[in-house]
Every structure is written in C-alpha cells, then in structure tokens.
C-alpha cells in the first residue's frame, strides 16, 4: 500500500515500494507549516514541476542533505546541479523507467524562473509529472491553466490520483479545475494550491461539488492529511 501526505500548497510526500519522495517541496517558507526540511532524512527522489520559489522550495537543500535525486525539466535540473544537487534531467513528453516505476513529464501552461538578487532567471518550461507508484499513476499537475493536452491523459494514462490546482489567479480556478478533472478521468481528484495566501482563497468544497457533477470522485485533503492508495 502506497501513501500520500499533503504538506500544504502544492507540496506532497509520496511513499511506496522503492520510492520515498517529495513533490514540489515548499516547506520552510510554506505558511501552512506542516513539515520542515529536516523532517525528511530518508528520501531517494524529489520531483520539481517548475522553478518558482513556492515549488522548487527547499529541494536543493534537502537533496544535498539526503542524496535524493532531483527529477525535473532539463533547465531546472541543471540549475539544481549547479548548486550541488544530484539530478535526473528530463523533458516534456519524456518517460524514464526508474527502479520504482515509470515517470513521465507532461505539459503545463505556466512559467518557470528563479530570482537571484535583482535578476529573474528563466529556467525552461513548466511541467506536470506522472509518477507510477506500485503500478498506479499519480499525476501532479504543477501550476497550470486548463489545457487541451489533459484530454490525452484521460485517454491514455490511466490516472489513479490527479493532484490539481484550484486557486485561480496563477493557475486554474475551481471551474476550470473541474473541467480538467473530467478530461483527465482519474479514479480520485485531489485539489491543491488553495488558501495559502488570500489571492488563491478558493474553497475545495466548491471544486468537489462541480467535479462530482461531472462524474469525478473528489477527496479533499487538508494540509497535514494522509491517504493510502
């Protein structure tokens, strides 16, 4: 049985046979304050969907302390490597069979950059990531708007769990996330990227209502909640 732990915003810990991993580990500056970087001493992978600070987060620090491999888009991976982290670089549409299972990077419609001093450094394209855990596909959409490519996920990727942003402003809002869930057709949709700050103060219960009208099973995780799958 695999485990998924919601750390607030878009950060998750996922554990299963052969994998102990963080996804978008925004921890130390995360207003939800669910976990700290030092809480994770036994990791083998960290998945990063794009370079914005609320997603790249503490990935480099944690990777250097645990020897976990950062898996991300090529430009983000190279940036992390330049800071001393172990990496596995990929690109959108690419798949790789890791010891625990298959990983595929898929499109997201957003941006990807870091700020160093007074400079904004663009780091490639944002992505979503499909992670196979014990034979089940978990899709983390990253930050994205509603995109047509999601229909292909529903047709061909057999998504068990879809982690979808609902906050609006920077990503899909509740209405578009509900449409996305219908396109993706997961066994379970879980909302994320909401209520961290007032500008993304969306109600997950409203997403649940709209998505369930479209025939999608929704499970709301409050920050700190865990599920098994």
């Amino acid at each position: 049985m695999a485990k998924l732990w919601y750390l607030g915003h878009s950060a998750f810990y996922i554990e299963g046979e052969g994998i102990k991993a963080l996804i978008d580990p925004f921890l130390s500056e995360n207003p939800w304050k669910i976990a700290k970087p030092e809480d994770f001493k036994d990791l083998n992978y960290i998945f990063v969907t794009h370079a914005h600070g609320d997603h790249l987060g503490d990935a480099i620090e944690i990777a250097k302390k645990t020897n976990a491999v950062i898996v991300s888009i090529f430009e983000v991976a190279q940036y992390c490597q330049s800071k001393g982290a172990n990496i596995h670089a990929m690109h959108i549409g690419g798949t790789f069979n890791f010891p625990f299972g298959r990983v595929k990077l898929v499109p997201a419609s957003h941006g990807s950059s870091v700020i160093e001093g007074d400079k904004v450094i663009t780091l490639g394209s944002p992505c979503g990531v499909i992670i196979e855990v014990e034979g089940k596909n978990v899709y983390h959409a990253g930050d994205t708007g509603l995109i047509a490519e999601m229909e292909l996920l529903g047709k061909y990727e057999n998504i068990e769990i879809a982690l979808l942003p609902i906050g609006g402003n920077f990503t899909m809002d509740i209405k578009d996330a509900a449409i996305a869930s219908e396109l993706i057709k997961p066994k379970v949709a879980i909302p994320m990227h909401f209520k961290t700050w007032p500008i993304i103060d969306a109600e997950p219960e409203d997403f649940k209502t709209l998505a369930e009208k479209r025939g999608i099973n929704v499970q709301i995780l409050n920050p700190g909640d865990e599920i098994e799958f």
Side-chain angles (χ1 to χ4, degrees):
M1 188 72 72
K3 178 175 77 172
L4 186 71
W5 179 23
Y6 184 34
L7 305 174
H9 199 53
S10 295
F12 290 84
Y13 171 78
I14 189 165
E15 181 177 321
E17 185 175 353
I19 181 172
K20 293 181 179 179
L22 288 166
I23 309 172
D24 284 358
F26 175 52
L27 304 179
S28 59
E29 301 298 323
N30 190 329
W32 291 105
K33 301 298 182 188
I34 301 301
K36 303 181 292 297
E38 54 266 32
D39 294 335
F40 299 95
K41 296 180 172 63
D42 182 18
L43 289 176
N44 48 13
Y45 297 97
I46 300 171
F47 299 93
V48 178
T49 62
H50 63 291
H52 290 161
D54 58 329
H55 294 262
L56 178 61
D58 303 287
I60 294 170
E61 173 192 344
I62 297 170
K64 288 166 70 173
K65 288 182 177 178
T66 63
N67 291 318
V69 175
I70 293 177
V71 180
S72 191
I73 208 84
F74 177 84
E75 292 82 358
V76 174
Q78 292 298 309
Y79 175 82
C80 294
Q81 186 179 56
S82 76
K83 303 294 184 180
N86 297 322
I87 65 162
H88 181 101
M90 298 181 65
H91 228 298
I92 291 171
T95 62
F96 189 80
N97 292 319
F98 290 87
F100 63 84
R102 172 178 173 263
V103 171
K104 182 175 184 178
L105 299 192
V106 297
S109 182
H110 193 61
S112 181
S113 61
V114 294
I115 299 173
E116 292 191 344
D118 60 353
K119 295 182 179 179
V120 177
I121 303 170
T122 300
L123 290 175
S125 302
C127 68
V129 59
I130 299 172
I131 306 167
E132 183 185 20
V133 182
E134 298 188 7
K136 298 177 180 179
N137 288 330
V138 177
Y139 166 54
H140 188 294
D143 277 2
T144 187
L146 177 64
I147 53 176
E149 288 88 346
M150 291 172 173
E151 187 172 6
L152 296 176
L153 305 184
K155 287 184 176 180
Y156 302 114
E157 294 295 345
N158 189 27
I159 303 297
E160 181 77 16
I161 297 173
L163 308 172
L164 302 176
I166 67 166
N169 195 76
F170 300 109
T171 70
M172 297 185 289
D173 61 10
I174 286 167
K175 179 182 175 182
D176 281 357
I179 296 169
S181 70
E182 184 178 25
L183 295 176
I184 297 162
K185 297 179 174 62
K187 303 292 191 305
V188 181
I190 295 175
M192 63 177 183
H193 206 276
F194 61 88
K195 289 188 176 296
T196 312
W197 301 285
I199 201 168
I200 56 170
D201 186 18
E203 292 293 339
E205 289 289 350
D206 293 342
F207 166 72
K208 179 179 174 72
T209 297
L210 289 181
E212 289 185 345
K213 285 180 180 178
R214 295 174 177 273
I216 303 302
N217 180 34
V218 173
Q219 184 165 353
I220 296 171
L221 298 184
N222 294 312
D225 285 352
E226 295 182 14
I227 61 167
E228 294 183 338
F229 64 97

